[in-house]
Amino acid sequence: MGIAADDVFLMYNAYQLAARVVGNADPKEKMKWAFKEASAAMLVTSVTTCGSFYANSFSVIKVVRSFGFFMASVVAWNFVNVLTIFPSAILV
């Protein structure tokens, strides 16, 4: 939940900042700038978090192994959703 909130905050904040950086551009141009700025930060945090959770796959405890795989998959899916669904929601 915290990772999803962080990704959403980064994208929304970048979109709000785009109005000041890009100027009086149309929403599509502002979203392109915000996407470029926010996606790098979201990629780094998501990859490191996925790596940490996927490292649990080497655990000898089955519950820990399953939890790590599940959480890493959720983080990866969250990254994809925030990059596809949330920008559409902002522009609507």
Side-chain angles (χ1 to χ4, degrees):
M1 181 75 173
I3 298 164
D6 181 47
D7 288 350
V8 167
F9 173 75
L10 282 170
M11 182 63 79
Y12 186 73
N13 190 37
Y15 184 73
Q16 294 297 318
L17 184 64
R20 296 181 188 184
V21 174
V22 177
N24 225 1
D26 64 330
K28 182 180 175 183
E29 291 300 317
K30 290 191 291 187
M31 183 53 72
K32 282 170 65 174
W33 184 87
F35 195 86
K36 186 177 78 170
E37 291 294 315
S39 62
M42 291 188 306
L43 178 66
V44 169
T45 58
S46 296
V47 166
T48 57
T49 304
C50 278
S52 298
F53 280 122
Y54 276 134
N56 286 328
S57 297
F58 298 109
S59 176
V60 295
I61 304 169
K62 184 177 181 175
V63 174
V64 173
R65 189 172 50 234
S66 298
F67 175 75
F69 183 79
F70 170 76
M71 286 305 298
S73 301
V74 167
V75 169
W77 187 244
N78 168 65
F79 177 72
V80 170
N81 282 334
V82 171
L83 287 181
T84 57
I85 297 172
F86 189 65
S88 303
I90 290 174
L91 293 176
V92 169

